[in-house]
């Protein structure tokens, strides 16, 4: 008997899919045809399980003729159907969006985050949840517009999450803050970021390059020669007043550019930088061309420009003198 029930539901799901596919072939339908389609669809929503309904009707939610009656029935169905209604219905009230953004259901919050009509307060409520999935939904929402506060929150989250940082870069609208996303940037993007930083430093008379600290440089080199990445991260974290986890990301950067910029900002001389790169990640240390390119980078980028990028990427601040207390990881 159970197998008969499953077979019947499968057939009903196939029927609903066929009905929806035929409907989606046209943008405009005669009123009588639409009424018939709507009645069939509403009946199927009641009969089938919520995951099946959501999967089949998702393409329908973007169709301009989809009626509010269908969205209302989806909302009443609950689960993934209610998420669809929350994301796509044109008649969801602002109060309902705020409630979902502040509510206990992460899936409903993500549904709100995907809407095209978000305002500053709703975005703020979504960001305050601090959930990676909600952040990702917002980042993927090309219609969302972020104010300065929202941008700061998203940048801060991206500093520790390269996947999320890549999503922000792909949006293309974080131009003023993209240096904070340096670790997720591709080679050409990194080159553009460095070029902008160099131009900014050369065009201004503000700022003085941080003074080199020979003792700190020696500690970094000694840790690198010992292959002691934790000690190396500790010194870099102390210097840039950043979390140790972010200092480790500098060291682990496969391209090595951010490590080169950090060494430049700290005044490590090219010979010492070469020895450090020869003890770096295998993709760097085992390729003399890469090592030479990184050493050239330490010579070409002004220390102040290098410092600006590293500070942006780590969320820290460059000290002029080393500190003795190791930053927490």
């Amino acid at each position: 008997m159970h197998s008969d029930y499953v077979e019947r539901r499968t057939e009903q799901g196939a029927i609903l899919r066929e009905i929806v596919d035929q409907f989606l072939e046209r943008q405009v339908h005669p009123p009588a045809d639409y009424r018939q389609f709507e009645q069939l669809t509403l009946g199927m929503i009641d009969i089938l399980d919520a995951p099946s309904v959501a999967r089949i009707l998702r393409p329908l939610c973007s169709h301009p003729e989809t009626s509010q009656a269908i969205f209302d029935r989806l909302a009443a169905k609950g689960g993934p159907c209610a998420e669809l209604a929350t994301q796509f219905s044109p008649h969801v009230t602002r109060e309902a969006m705020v409630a979902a953004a502040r509510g206990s259901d992460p899936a409903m919050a993500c549904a709100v985050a995907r809407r095209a009509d978000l305002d500053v307060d709703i975005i703020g409520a979504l960001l305050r949840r601090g959930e990676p999935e909600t952040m990702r939904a917002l980042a993927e929402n090309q219609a969302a517009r972020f104010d300065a506060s929202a941008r700061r929150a998203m940048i801060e989250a991206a500093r520790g999450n390269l996947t999320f940082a890549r999503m922000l870069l792909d949006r293309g609208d974080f131009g003023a803050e993209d240096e904070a996303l340096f670790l997720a940037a591709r080679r050409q993007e990194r080159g553009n970021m460095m070029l902008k930083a160099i131009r900014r430093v050369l065009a201004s008379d503000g700022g003085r390059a941080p003074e080199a600290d020979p003792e700190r440089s020696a500690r970094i080199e000694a840790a690198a020669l010992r292959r002691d990445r934790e000690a190396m991260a500790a010194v870099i974290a102390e210097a840039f007043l950043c979390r140790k986890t972010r200092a480790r990301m500098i060291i682990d950067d496969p391209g090595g550019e951010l490590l080169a910029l950090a060494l430049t900002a700290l005044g490590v001389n090219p010979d010492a930088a070469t020895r450090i790169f020869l003890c770096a990640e295998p993709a760097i240390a085992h390729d003399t061309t890469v090592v030479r390119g990184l050493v050239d980078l330490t010579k070409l980028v002004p220390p102040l420009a290098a410092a600006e990028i590293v500070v942006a990427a780590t969320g820290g601040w460059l000290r002029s003198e080393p500190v003795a207390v190791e930053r927490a990881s």
Side-chain angles (χ1 to χ4, degrees):
M1 186 170 181
H2 176 69
S3 61
D4 291 342
Y5 173 83
V6 172
E7 185 177 351
R8 188 163 60 253
R9 288 292 179 265
T10 302
E11 291 174 353
Q12 290 166 335
I15 292 170
L16 178 59
R17 186 180 298 279
E18 180 65 23
I19 292 171
V20 170
D21 287 346
Q22 289 183 11
F23 181 84
L24 292 174
E25 289 177 358
R26 298 172 59 185
Q27 288 293 303
V28 180
H29 301 80
D33 289 355
Y34 187 82
R35 285 194 297 270
Q36 183 181 29
F37 167 78
E38 183 182 65
Q39 290 307 309
L40 286 170
T41 302
L42 293 174
M44 287 294 191
I45 291 174
D46 292 339
I47 293 172
L48 295 172
D49 62 277
S52 296
V53 170
R55 186 170 57 254
I56 296 169
L57 293 193
R58 185 175 188 84
L60 180 66
C61 292
S62 300
H63 194 281
E65 285 191 340
T66 302
S67 69
Q68 189 59 37
I70 290 176
F71 284 122
D72 290 343
R73 193 67 59 90
L74 287 171
K77 186 80 173 177
C81 293
E83 295 165 28
L84 278 184
T86 298
Q87 179 177 345
F88 290 103
S89 173
H91 298 296
V92 174
T93 66
R94 184 180 184 280
E95 290 72 20
M97 285 192 276
V98 171
R102 296 174 177 171
S104 60
D105 188 342
M108 291 296 284
C110 286
V112 171
R114 297 186 182 102
R115 291 185 62 90
D117 53 354
L118 302 179
D119 62 28
V120 171
D121 293 336
I122 295 172
I123 290 174
L126 291 167
L127 289 174
R128 283 191 290 275
R129 298 177 69 90
E131 298 161 343
E133 58 268 31
T134 307
M135 292 275 201
R136 287 194 295 269
L138 278 173
E140 290 171 343
N141 185 350
Q142 292 294 327
R145 293 295 174 261
F146 307 122
D147 66 0
S149 177
R151 294 167 79 88
R152 283 195 299 271
M154 298 184 84
I155 287 290
E156 181 60 24
R159 286 192 178 103
N161 186 322
L162 295 186
T163 300
F164 184 58
R166 185 64 248 171
M167 293 173 70
L168 296 187
L169 280 171
D170 287 339
R171 286 183 58 90
D173 60 354
F174 274 72
E177 298 99 336
D178 62 2
E179 289 173 6
L181 310 172
F182 188 92
L183 277 167
R186 302 184 180 101
R187 180 176 294 275
Q188 184 173 350
E189 291 169 329
R190 290 183 173 197
N192 291 338
M193 292 176 192
M194 288 186 281
L195 186 58
K196 284 193 300 183
I198 292 170
R199 286 173 174 168
R200 189 167 57 245
V201 167
L202 294 179
S204 69
D205 57 359
R208 177 174 56 90
E211 294 184 7
D213 185 321
E215 190 272 338
R216 182 165 54 200
S217 299
R219 289 169 62 198
I220 294 174
E221 181 181 355
L225 295 176
R226 296 195 310 270
R227 302 298 203 278
D228 189 344
R229 303 171 75 77
E230 289 301 306
M232 191 175 173
V235 180
I236 292 175
E238 290 172 2
F240 287 99
L241 287 178
C242 69
R243 299 175 186 173
K244 192 174 175 183
T245 50
R246 293 182 181 169
R248 281 199 293 264
M249 292 175 76
I250 294 176
I251 298 168
D252 295 338
D253 175 27
E257 290 94 348
L258 195 57
L259 176 59
L261 294 175
L263 297 180
T264 302
L266 298 178
V268 177
N269 68 61
D271 290 338
T274 301
R275 292 189 288 271
I276 292 170
F277 292 134
L278 290 173
C279 298
E281 286 286 295
I284 297 171
H286 296 172
D287 191 327
T288 55
T289 301
V290 172
V291 171
R292 283 197 296 270
L294 293 174
V295 173
D296 288 343
L297 193 62
T298 67
K299 300 174 183 177
L300 293 173
V301 179
L304 190 57
E308 287 184 1
I309 294 175
V310 177
V311 165
T314 60
W317 192 258
L318 182 59
R319 297 180 64 99
S320 60
E321 297 178 358
V323 295
V325 179
E326 183 176 311
R327 301 289 291 181
S329 60

